[in-house]
Amino acid sequence: MRISELAAASEVPVATIKYYLRERLLPEGERTSATQARYGDAHLSRLRVIRALLTAGVSIAETRNVVAALDAPPPGPYDLLGVAHAAVTPRPAGPLDTTRALELYERLGGAADQCDPGLLAGLAQALDTLERAGFTVPPEVLDRYVEAARRIAEAEIDGIPADSPELAVQYIVLGTVLSEPLILALRRAAQQVVSSARFGGPDAAMPTAPTV
């Protein structure tokens, strides 16, 4: 298909497709002349991936890294996870104390000398943001966070396709990056469900502390 047909099929404007080509997010089409190229289903599939990543808030630079990993994956799942984590982990503005972050990592069952520095910095950044806002996650709630995170990770890793390296790459990289908005949306939906069951729905009064 020509670029105009690719734009129609993908619902991505021609100008945007050309931008993705310049940014090396989308591979070049098969040249049919000096000014024309032919594109195929692989380009259409890649466009869907690019749009999904950018919509999820992944930067152009990290999107480039993700699609590069899809084309030439690292040797194993652990390294693929590193690519996915780098795409969604915010960069700290400056040096941070990672002591508490490392404690949480170890509570997950990780070894201190195996924690990726970028991942540890992202965890430290999240904790620092809470502290700056003057908010403390209750210990019993934090325990549940750790437990839930570990169980989610175990289910996800168990689900890596074993019969197709290509599907494994897509599952690890895209699943890690694109599932985070779903996890957050499910958490908010669950909060509403539990709140309604416990407090009686939208018209119920705010809970009050028991009188002594």
Side-chain angles (χ1 to χ4, degrees):
M1 69 185 87
R2 301 175 64 174
I3 194 169
S4 57
E5 296 170 319
L6 179 63
S10 64
E11 299 183 346
V12 177
V14 170
T16 303
I17 293 176
K18 290 182 176 179
Y19 172 70
Y20 293 160
L21 288 166
R22 289 195 303 271
E23 291 293 325
R24 306 190 312 281
L25 299 178
L26 189 68
E28 293 285 344
E30 179 186 352
R31 284 289 171 186
T32 56
S33 70
T35 58
Q36 297 289 332
R38 181 176 287 111
Y39 301 89
D41 290 341
H43 292 90
L44 186 59
S45 177
R46 176 57 55 85
L47 275 175
R48 294 193 182 104
V49 170
I50 293 168
R51 298 294 279 181
L53 291 170
L54 295 177
T55 300
V58 180
S59 69
I60 289 289
E62 290 298 349
T63 296
R64 188 183 299 114
N65 291 338
V66 169
V67 297
L70 294 176
D71 290 334
Y78 185 86
D79 298 302
L80 281 170
L81 277 171
V83 174
H85 291 160
V88 294
T89 302
R91 302 292 190 273
L96 292 169
D97 182 357
T98 60
T99 303
R100 289 185 301 148
L102 191 56
E103 290 174 354
L104 279 180
Y105 185 79
E106 291 176 331
R107 285 173 62 183
L108 286 166
D113 58 350
Q114 294 180 354
C115 185
D116 177 82
L119 191 150
L120 187 64
L123 187 54
Q125 178 73 67
L127 291 169
D128 183 69
T129 300
L130 290 172
E131 183 176 344
R132 288 178 180 274
F135 180 79
T136 300
V137 177
E140 62 275 12
V141 175
L142 190 57
D143 289 343
R144 293 293 186 94
Y145 285 175
V146 172
E147 177 187 350
R150 173 76 190 212
R151 292 176 63 186
I152 289 171
E154 288 174 345
E156 290 175 335
I157 299 303
D158 288 345
I160 296 176
D163 55 349
S164 168
E166 181 179 353
L167 289 178
V169 170
Q170 293 186 21
Y171 176 91
I172 292 171
V173 177
L174 298 183
T176 299
V177 174
L178 300 181
S179 294
E180 292 205 342
L182 174 60
I183 293 172
L184 290 175
L186 281 170
R187 173 178 177 246
R188 294 178 186 126
Q191 286 177 336
Q192 185 180 65
V193 170
V194 174
S195 175
S196 177
R198 189 160 300 174
F199 303 127
D203 297 325
M206 286 290 290
T208 57
T211 56
V212 179

